[in-house]
Amino acid sequence: MNDVNVRDDDLGLKLQRRIKEVLGKSLHIRHVDTGSCNGCDFEMTMLTSPVYDIQRFGVDFVASPRHADMLMVTGGVTRHLEEALRKTYDAAANPKMVVAIGACACGGGIFGRTYANYGGVDHIVPVYVYVPGCPPRPQAIIEGILLALDRYDMRSKRGSPIES
């Protein structure tokens, strides 16, 4: 086994432990594509491949925002998908943890803000964590999930409102 796999397993075990500490159950994620080139989507799909197998650590992707603990958004928000993002966000249960995946979701990427593109996700819904990159590596996405869990845990312990 090479060093990369050992580190990835350590990161996965850290994720599994943190999910149990913070949520007390598994983590359910709803992916929302708001106009991406699919580069970030491919990297997210790698999380469920045999290489990373993120499901063994208690993470599952779900089809409905009503079942999700977290929304992962890829792509700059296009005008045609802005309403879909708002409806998905409104349908998600509290806490509304939103993780922006990739340069486009974080700030608009190469398109920026145009007549057809709102730019980053935070122009439409509040974002918990930004995971930059074009596209970000799967390890960076896992780190983003960990950071979102840490922020959720800090806010819940302080008694701050979870929904931003």
Side-chain angles (χ1 to χ4, degrees):
M1 187 180 302
N2 65 31
D3 290 337
V4 173
N5 288 340
V6 171
R7 279 184 292 215
D8 290 345
D9 279 347
D10 290 345
L11 185 60
L13 292 171
K14 181 179 177 184
L15 177 64
Q16 183 178 34
R17 187 173 53 254
R18 197 68 183 125
I19 289 169
K20 288 291 181 196
E21 290 170 1
V22 174
L23 299 175
K25 61 179 184 73
S26 57
L27 173 67
H28 295 90
I29 299 172
R30 172 66 175 140
H31 171 229
V32 184
D33 182 345
T34 58
S36 76
C37 70
N38 298 121
C40 296
D41 304 337
F42 292 145
E43 295 301 315
M44 284 178 57
T45 300
M46 280 302 300
L47 293 174
T48 61
S49 75
V51 174
Y52 293 95
D53 192 15
I54 199 168
Q55 290 173 312
R56 71 185 156 135
F57 301 118
V59 177
D60 208 8
F61 287 89
V62 295
S64 171
R66 297 186 196 286
H67 302 147
D69 302 306
M70 176 183 291
L71 299 177
M72 274 193 176
V73 185
T74 57
V77 183
T78 64
R79 299 229 183 250
H80 291 287
L81 291 169
E82 176 250 343
E83 183 180 355
L85 177 58
R86 286 187 200 275
K87 286 183 177 181
T88 301
Y89 180 80
D90 291 341
N94 287 327
K96 296 184 190 267
M97 290 189 283
V98 177
V99 178
I101 303 291
C104 294
C106 290
I110 62 170
F111 304 105
R113 199 165 175 157
T114 68
Y115 70 95
N117 193 334
Y118 284 100
V121 174
D122 57 3
H123 288 109
I124 308 301
V125 297
V127 174
Y128 247 55
V129 173
Y130 299 87
V131 180
C134 187
R137 295 178 50 143
Q139 296 93 331
I141 297 171
I142 293 171
E143 291 283 353
I145 294 170
L146 280 165
L147 186 56
L149 289 168
D150 289 344
R151 290 193 176 157
Y152 168 77
D153 194 29
M154 285 188 312
R155 287 183 181 185
S156 63
K157 285 180 180 173
R158 278 195 325 237
S160 301
I162 299 300
E163 187 176 355
S164 306

